Amino acid sequence: MQFNFNSSEPIYLQVAQQIEDAIFTGGFKEGEQIPSTTEISKEFHINPATVLKGMNQLVSRKLLEKHRGVGMFVSNGANERITLNRQQNFYNKYVIGVVKEASRLNIDEADLKKLIKQGYQSL
Amino acid sequence: MKGIEVRQVTKSFDKQMILNGIGLTIEPNKIYGLLGRNGAGKSTLLNLLVNRIPVDLGEIRIDNETIKDNDEQLAKMFLMSEVNLYPKNAKVKDIYKWTEKFYGGFDFELATNLSKQFGLRTNTVFNKLSTGYRTIMKLIVSLSVPVEYVFLDEPVLGLDASHRDLFYNALVESYAENPRTFVISTHLIEEIANLVEHVLVIDNGRLIIDDATEKVLSNAYMISGPEDKVDEYTEGLNVIGSDKLARIKASYVFGTLNNKPIPDLINIDKMDLQTLFVNLTSGGSNNE
Amino acid sequence: MNKTVQVIKYDLSYFLRLILIVYAWMLGLFVLLPTTIHLIGSGTKGVLNTVSISFSIASTGAVLVNAALLFYFGFLTYERFSFLIQNGISRRTGWAAKVVSLSIISLIATVYDFIISMFSLLDGDGYNAIPYLSLYGHFFRSQIPNMVMMVIVTFIFMLTVAIIGMVVGSFFSLLTRRHQKGALITAPIIVILLFTVLSRAIRSKLISFTAIENFSKFLIGYSKTMGNFNPFVPSMIMVVLIIISLIISRGLNTKLKIKRGE
């Protein structure tokens, strides 16, 4: 797991975001235990309460589950939920921005489609 | 009420007012950041809390009791300060020993562990320690005493980067294992920004911020873009400072933004704690 | 209460360490040094005599040293206060513990003084060799009450010295560093000035010498009617002095504070 706290978002949201990313990219597998609040707060010098707040957000989104006295585990189906959520947000988060910038640069729809195709090919 | 109450406390030195009617509450089990520029009155406030110096006016109570001549209440607090109040000829291990006797407890296991990690030799006489190692010894004591309120005044003074890292690790671990209140006063704001739950800012002897870190930061914006657009947008907002480069301006706003439409050429970002602090306490001057 | 006990333990350990150091020095200066000189100068002949003389000088001198140490222990204030307040010990507890610690040390000094006096008597030196007995040794008819009174008066005297040390020390620790230096320089000057004025006053008959003599006699308990010295008078004066000093030192104690930038 890698944290980068330069963003201006509240820390607890960043914690949640980073753990979500780690689950999404396979850093934490479903059913696996994730590091404790203490471990994370120690590693990154974040208040344990803040870390817990971030984790609780993921619990309420059913990406993590609390096992009493043991710790936090990645829920089964967490990956699917993340994918679904990100698909829903894809348009707002990426497409609108790309189209706006393209139109500022006088790239028309056809050209943009071409570029997208090119992008797919280079993957 | 559980906690420390500071009521309308005023303190002067040599006819110069250092603290002017400070009122605040320090709650159990929270990490506070106490910020202020040099001479703002941070150390004075901490010294008053543990009764090292008396208040001129006002009152300090802990768990509803006065701190004056009150061993039971004084024993709930520990202040690690820049000044050295330890006997000059005492060995580090003897200081540990007497701290245990006076406070009625001391985590010798932790102290021994940390002494090893930091490379502090406990057979050394306090006076022969370097500035950095004096700080280290005082930090180790502050984490090992059984108190409910730990006040750290410039806790990383004279420490190199790796020792600072070691200290923050020890602090977080100790806090996680045994939650208690820490009030940290430091100039290295970035290093503690993510640790503090609650921010206290003192400027010119007055408390100008006393709020949850998250709430404080949610109201701190940096508005940047062409000068005229920025000025137009920020008119009527609480602008606490600004930076300018050619015709590009960044204005720092502390407070809620109004519902004006955001002009296209303007960027709104959040401010970090350090930036907010610098702009709040520079006397509102524009750094143009 | 437990805190007070811990502070007393701290005081005693501190005091005893200092006493040991001072005594080691005295042993070196007054016993080892003369003995070594004797051994180098005249060999082993008569060395025991030198050792015994040196010991008796050192042990008698120790009575004065004890009093000086007690004053010094009473005087020590700021560093001790700093350490205690750093450890969450209140001014009042620090003050009370110090009074007890000083009483204990005074008692030890008294016992030491008593033992030295007994040795001196066994050596056949007589009452005149012992300051107390030379003045008050005939107040009671039998020896035992005189001895008991000697112990009591010595204890009161030692405690007076210690508690006055406490007052001076507390007062001194309230001054800023600059004023402390000033006080150290001006205090002897004032004392000299006072004596000069006093002697002038006596010479020019503003104050009669007999008045001073009578006052001094009163202080040490001389009474014409009884024809000897009454130890209860100085004892009562010292007890009053102790009580006043305790009140003043507690008043000054509440004013103690950590100085800025030290």
Side-chain angles (χ1 to χ4, degrees), chain B residues 11 13-14 18 44 47 50-54 67-71 74-75 77-81 83-89 94-95 98-99 101-104 138, chain C residues 1-4 6-7 9-11 13-14 17 78-79 81-93 177 250 253-262:
Chain B
K11 182 74 192 173
F13 288 111
D14 301 328
I18 302 296
T44 302
N47 277 325
V50 296
N51 205 222
R52 285 188 185 180
I53 51 176
I67 52 168
K68 210 179 155 198
D69 276 338
N70 194 336
D71 289 329
L74 289 174
M77 303 180 280
F78 182 89
L79 167 58
M80 177 261 174
S81 59
V83 290
N84 298 310
L85 302 186
Y86 290 105
K88 295 181 179 68
N89 298 320
D94 290 331
I95 291 175
W98 285 112
T99 307
K101 293 206 189 299
F102 291 149
Y103 269 108
K138 290 187 281 185
Chain C
M1 197 56 215
N2 180 45
K3 303 247 171 199
T4 317
Q6 296 303 340
V7 180
K9 279 187 190 164
Y10 171 74
D11 280 343
S13 79
Y14 185 93
R17 221 184 54 186
Y78 189 71
E79 197 182 78
F81 161 69
S82 303
F83 188 40
L84 294 184
I85 199 79
Q86 170 73 75
N87 284 293
I89 306 282
S90 68
R91 289 163 183 75
R92 184 171 57 199
T93 302
R177 215 167 253 191
R250 170 63 181 141
N253 161 269
T254 60
K255 301 273 182 295
L256 285 175
K257 60 182 182 211
I258 295 298
K259 292 170 194 172
R260 296 178 96 202
E262 279 179 30

Side-chain angles (χ1 to χ4, degrees), chain B residues 14 19 27 38 42 45 57 75 83 96 105 110 131 149 172 178 189 207 227 237 252:
Chain B
D14 301 328
L19 292 178
E27 290 170 24
N38 286 326
K42 296 167 295 186
L45 176 63
L57 289 171
V83 290
Y96 290 173
L110 178 68
T131 311
Y149 302 89
V172 174
N178 170 23
I189 298 172
L207 190 66
E227 190 182 1
L237 299 180
Y252 302 100

Side-chain angles (χ1 to χ4, degrees), chain C residues 182-199:
Chain C
L184 280 180
I185 296 165
T186 48
I189 297 174
I190 289 172
V191 170
I192 292 167
L193 220 65
L194 216 69
F195 271 104
T196 320
V197 169
L198 205 67
S199 62

Side-chain angles (χ1 to χ4, degrees), chain A residues 1-122:
Chain A
M1 184 167 47
Q2 262 300 311
F3 276 101
N4 172 24
F5 290 105
N6 294 324
S7 136
S8 53
E9 265 189 288
I11 305 297
Y12 81 95
L13 282 181
Q14 294 183 49
V15 170
Q17 187 62 47
Q18 294 292 336
I19 296 172
E20 185 193 308
D21 266 352
I23 296 170
F24 185 64
T25 56
F28 300 143
K29 303 257 184 313
E30 286 182 12
E32 237 179 49
Q33 186 173 9
I34 67 160
S36 69
T37 45
T38 312
E39 283 171 284
I40 294 176
S41 63
K42 211 178 128 181
E43 184 68 27
F44 302 100
H45 302 159
I46 309 169
N47 193 303
T50 312
V51 178
L52 192 64
K53 196 171 169 189
M55 284 190 180
N56 282 335
Q57 211 226 20
L58 297 180
V59 171
S60 67
R61 285 171 54 200
K62 296 200 171 66
L63 301 183
L64 293 179
E65 25 184 80
K66 240 178 255 185
H67 289 194
R68 221 166 253 285
V70 190
M72 292 280 192
F73 289 77
V74 179
S75 314
N76 284 322
N79 251 310
E80 207 185 311
R81 276 189 278 275
I82 295 171
T83 309
L84 202 72
N85 178 271
R86 290 193 175 193
Q87 279 169 354
Q88 282 164 355
N89 290 327
F90 184 75
Y91 177 79
N92 281 329
K93 204 172 168 189
Y94 298 100
V95 177
I96 289 181
V98 168
V99 173
K100 260 192 182 168
E101 180 71 3
S103 65
R104 275 191 214 127
L105 298 170
N106 296 322
I107 297 171
D108 65 14
E109 196 184 330
D111 285 340
L112 185 59
K113 275 181 179 162
K114 240 186 258 167
L115 285 170
I116 289 171
K117 198 174 176 189
Q118 191 186 325
Y120 268 106
Q121 279 162 357
S122 68

Side-chain angles (χ1 to χ4, degrees), chain C residues 150-214:
Chain C
M150 174 172 84
V151 171
I152 293 170
V153 173
T154 311
F155 175 71
I156 294 174
F157 173 73
M158 292 291 178
L159 195 59
T160 310
V161 170
I163 304 291
I164 287 176
M166 217 169 140
V167 173
V168 178
S170 323
F171 180 72
F172 196 69
S173 66
L174 292 181
L175 301 176
T176 61
R177 215 167 253 191
R178 218 183 55 202
H179 289 154
Q180 284 180 355
K181 275 182 197 156
L184 280 180
I185 296 165
T186 48
I189 297 174
I190 289 172
V191 170
I192 292 167
L193 220 65
L194 216 69
F195 271 104
T196 320
V197 169
L198 205 67
S199 62
R200 282 276 171 110
I202 291 167
R203 230 182 295 158
S204 58
K205 303 235 157 66
L206 274 171
I207 306 171
S208 75
F209 188 72
T210 41
I212 293 177
E213 201 190 335
N214 286 339

Side-chain angles (χ1 to χ4, degrees), chain B residues 192-210:
Chain B
I192 59 149
N194 296 334
L195 267 176
V196 301
E197 254 179 288
H198 197 102
V199 189
L200 303 165
V201 179
I202 297 187
D203 195 36
N204 284 323
R206 285 182 183 280
L207 190 66
I208 56 170
I209 289 188
D210 175 5

Side-chain angles (χ1 to χ4, degrees), chain C residues 42-64:
Chain C
S42 6
T44 51
K45 200 179 154 209
V47 74
L48 281 177
N49 199 29
T50 309
V51 170
S52 106
I53 290 169
S54 310
F55 253 118
S56 84
I57 293 171
S59 57
T60 317
V63 174
L64 286 176

